[in-house]
Amino acid sequence: MGSAFFGLEIATRSLRAQQRGMEVTGHNIANANTPGFSRQRAVLATTDPYPVPAFNRPLVGGQIGTGVKIEAIQRVRDAFLDTQIRKESLSLGSWQSIETALEQVEVIFNEPSESGLSKVMSDFWNAWQELAKDPSSQVARVSLREQSTTLTGAINHAYAQLEELKNNLDGDIEIKVDQINTIARQIRDLNESIIKFESTGDSANDLRDKRDLLLDELSKVINFSVTESDNGGVLIYIKNKTLVSDVEMLELTTTPGPLNDSFLKVIWADDLSDVSITNGSLNGLIEARDDYINFYMDELDQLTAGIIAQVNDIHEDGFALDGVTTGLDFFTGTGAADIAVNSIFSDLSLIAASMSGEAGDGLNALAIAGLKRTLTMNGATATFDDFYKSTISSLGVDIQEANRLVVNERLLIEQLNNRKESVSGVSLDEEVVNLLKYQRAYEAASRLITVMDEMLDKLINGTGSVGR
């Protein structure tokens, strides 16, 4: 037979369980807007049944229930969605870095505009054309020198800005590496706390949420894989090397790359080996610096080298205004970084506009002006103007492609986040309903105590009173 107080114990257990359920619901409501929070669920389960002893009955459980308990407080989270979101975040981070860098390249070239290189080149060729019409004109010679100086200055400036952009990206790479180390340290510390907490049998739900939020942040920066160990800690691998292993971590650092003009490369701090970076914003910065910007610098350099070579080649064969002086280079330098108008042309009369040396001969200036329409680039298949327009078109295509991929990735991540929110997010309507359910169950358990109290009162105070 069970004790007369057995019902009180069942009611007490119910009170505790319903109260804990209300606390879990309250925690969910309180964190409805907390970034990274996953709603939690109190898992109710029956307590072990009470065996009823009897003379002719085996002593087995299941005859009488003994109440309810909170078996666990679980996070509601879909690991598959986490993996998908982190995978897409990697691509988004990479393309965002490339998009930002390309937009800066676009600003540097500033096409089409009155100050763009296309307009400046056109003015340069036109200045030679004007000189050809009147080779002895001092005004035409001054104009040519000014337009030439403007052209070389524009090329130098654009090239220097591209170089500066590469240096800025180098600095951004260093910042990203620091960010990775900071996140890894925080994950390591959370691992330590989670392992200690869960070793007692509890679930470190809120700590796990914080760790997942950090993993989401890390997934925007660098490619990695993650596994969870039995003790609750996570192991983070970058390719085959461990960044975080439970309560241990390795740091990343940067060093000047000897094969890349001393621009930074990312290495492991312990053995100085290269880090395998294949995706994420860090990869985007490296690609933008080493591939995209290098490409446009090379294009500008090729264009400039072609102008220097072709103009000098014709100018050397011409004669200055005195009809005697010849063999002078018009430009100095070898490329976009150092192209300049030969300083000797502070004496404007030395500009070789004549092909014969005779007065009024402007054929050499005309030949140089004709370079505008001559197929000199890409194996004599394109003019200088065609080559430059092709470069600007490539830039436009690259930016358009980066924009498209960023938009697509954002939409995909937004969709995945909506699905994640439907699983892990806090629905206030649902929580209020849960709160009412726990409240009513709590009230019923309280009523059960009242009933049991009245029964015991009857037994204790209302029985055995005959004859008193």
Side-chain angles (χ1 to χ4, degrees):
M1 272 230 27
S3 166
F5 294 94
F6 184 54
L8 285 176
E9 180 60 25
I10 291 177
T12 303
R13 288 175 179 175
S14 178
L15 285 177
R16 289 177 185 152
Q18 308 311 325
Q19 183 178 354
R20 180 62 63 87
M22 284 190 280
E23 290 168 355
V24 171
T25 304
H27 187 57
N28 286 341
I29 293 173
N31 288 283
N33 296 319
T34 302
F37 178 77
S38 305
R39 70 185 172 93
Q40 297 176 12
R41 180 177 60 189
V43 180
L44 297 174
T46 56
T47 51
D48 294 336
Y50 183 73
V52 179
F55 287 115
N56 58 353
R57 193 170 186 179
L59 194 65
V60 294
Q63 293 89 347
I64 296 179
T66 58
V68 65
K69 66 179 180 180
I70 297 289
E71 192 169 61
I73 299 174
Q74 294 179 338
R75 286 195 312 160
V76 182
R77 198 164 179 115
D78 189 332
F80 176 75
L81 284 176
D82 284 340
T83 303
Q84 290 298 107
I85 290 172
R86 287 168 191 162
K87 179 183 174 186
E88 300 304 329
S89 295
L90 273 173
S91 297
L92 176 61
S94 179
W95 281 110
Q96 280 180 323
S97 296
I98 293 171
E99 179 190 43
T100 302
L102 289 175
E103 285 174 348
Q104 293 179 67
V105 173
E106 186 179 36
V107 171
I108 290 171
F109 281 110
N110 195 25
E111 296 289 357
S113 74
E114 286 298 310
S115 59
L117 196 55
S118 180
K119 176 67 167 55
V120 174
M121 275 199 302
S122 178
D123 291 344
F124 170 73
W125 302 123
N126 290 338
W128 281 105
Q129 186 79 38
E130 292 301 314
L131 181 62
K133 294 176 183 175
D134 186 1
S136 61
S137 169
Q138 190 71 6
V139 174
R141 287 174 179 265
V142 169
S143 175
L144 173 62
R145 188 179 62 185
E146 293 304 315
Q147 292 298 340
S148 302
T149 303
T150 301
L151 174 65
T152 57
I155 292 174
N156 295 153
H157 185 62
Y159 196 82
Q161 283 188 307
L162 290 172
E163 190 74 30
E164 185 178 348
L165 180 55
K166 285 183 67 176
N167 289 327
N168 291 340
L169 291 175
D170 224 29
D172 290 342
I173 287 170
E174 201 161 17
I175 291 171
K176 290 294 180 187
V177 169
D178 289 341
Q179 184 182 355
I180 292 169
N181 288 332
T182 300
I183 292 174
R185 275 193 289 272
Q186 290 176 314
I187 291 175
R188 177 200 61 189
D189 294 344
L190 282 170
N191 270 348
E192 188 173 3
S193 299
I194 290 170
I195 290 170
K196 285 180 181 176
F197 195 83
E198 296 193 347
S199 64
T200 63
D202 293 325
S203 297
N205 292 326
D206 292 341
L207 294 178
R208 282 175 173 268
D209 278 345
K210 290 180 180 177
R211 188 175 65 187
D212 281 332
L213 192 60
L214 288 169
L215 288 171
D216 291 344
E217 287 295 316
L218 188 62
S219 71
K220 298 173 185 173
V221 185
I222 192 170
N223 51 287
F224 66 90
S225 59
V226 58
T227 59
E228 183 171 332
S229 52
D230 294 337
N231 59 12
V234 293
L235 292 82
I236 301 174
Y237 301 95
I238 298 178
K239 203 170 182 184
N240 295 323
K241 191 145 182 173
T242 308
L243 177 66
V244 177
S245 175
D246 289 342
V247 295
E248 304 289 337
M249 69 161 287
L250 294 177
E251 292 204 350
L252 308 185
T253 187
T254 56
T255 187
L259 302 179
N260 192 19
D261 295 331
S262 295
F263 283 104
L264 296 178
K265 67 174 183 175
V266 184
I267 58 173
W268 292 97
D270 62 335
D271 59 5
L272 307 183
S273 61
D274 290 350
V275 179
S276 179
I277 301 168
T278 58
N279 214 339
S281 58
L282 181 58
N283 182 66
L285 290 172
I286 294 172
E287 274 193 33
R289 183 195 67 185
D290 296 345
D291 296 336
Y292 287 93
I293 297 178
N294 269 354
F295 170 77
Y296 292 108
M297 291 180 76
D298 287 344
E299 291 284 289
L300 186 58
D301 216 30
Q302 283 186 51
L303 175 69
T304 308
I307 292 174
I308 293 172
Q310 294 294 328
V311 171
N312 283 350
D313 189 47
I314 296 175
H315 191 271
E316 285 174 358
D317 293 337
F319 291 89
L321 200 56
D322 60 7
V324 178
T325 306
T326 187
L328 297 176
D329 284 339
F330 187 78
F331 289 120
T332 60
T334 57
D338 58 358
I339 182 175
V341 177
N342 195 333
S343 59
I344 198 171
F345 296 117
S346 56
D347 180 357
L348 294 172
S349 66
L350 293 177
I351 296 174
S354 170
M355 194 170 284
S356 62
E358 296 178 358
D361 177 12
L363 291 178
N364 208 45
L366 189 62
I368 294 176
L371 289 174
K372 180 180 181 180
R373 297 177 295 279
T374 305
L375 301 178
T376 53
M377 301 296 293
N378 286 343
T381 59
T383 65
F384 291 122
D385 196 44
D386 292 338
F387 183 85
Y388 182 66
K389 283 180 179 175
S390 173
T391 302
I392 297 302
S393 295
S394 296
L395 176 59
V397 170
D398 286 343
I399 291 175
Q400 191 175 28
E401 178 72 0
N403 289 338
R404 184 181 65 81
L405 289 170
V406 167
V407 169
N408 288 349
E409 290 295 341
R410 278 181 178 153
L411 288 174
L412 185 54
I413 290 175
E414 185 180 345
Q415 187 180 22
L416 289 170
N417 276 327
N418 288 338
R419 288 176 59 190
K420 179 182 174 183
E421 189 65 19
S422 68
V423 174
S424 303
V426 176
S427 166
L428 291 177
D429 293 341
E430 186 179 332
E431 297 303 328
V432 169
V433 171
N434 287 338
L435 199 59
L436 288 173
K437 284 165 57 181
Y438 289 126
Q439 181 188 1
R440 293 304 181 191
Y442 190 91
E443 290 172 354
S446 301
R447 181 62 182 162
L448 178 60
I449 290 177
T450 302
V451 170
M452 296 302 298
D453 181 55
E454 290 174 353
M455 183 187 76
L456 290 171
D457 180 62
K458 191 67 177 177
L459 283 173
I460 296 170
N461 299 318
T463 57
S465 59
V466 177
R468 287 183 184 176

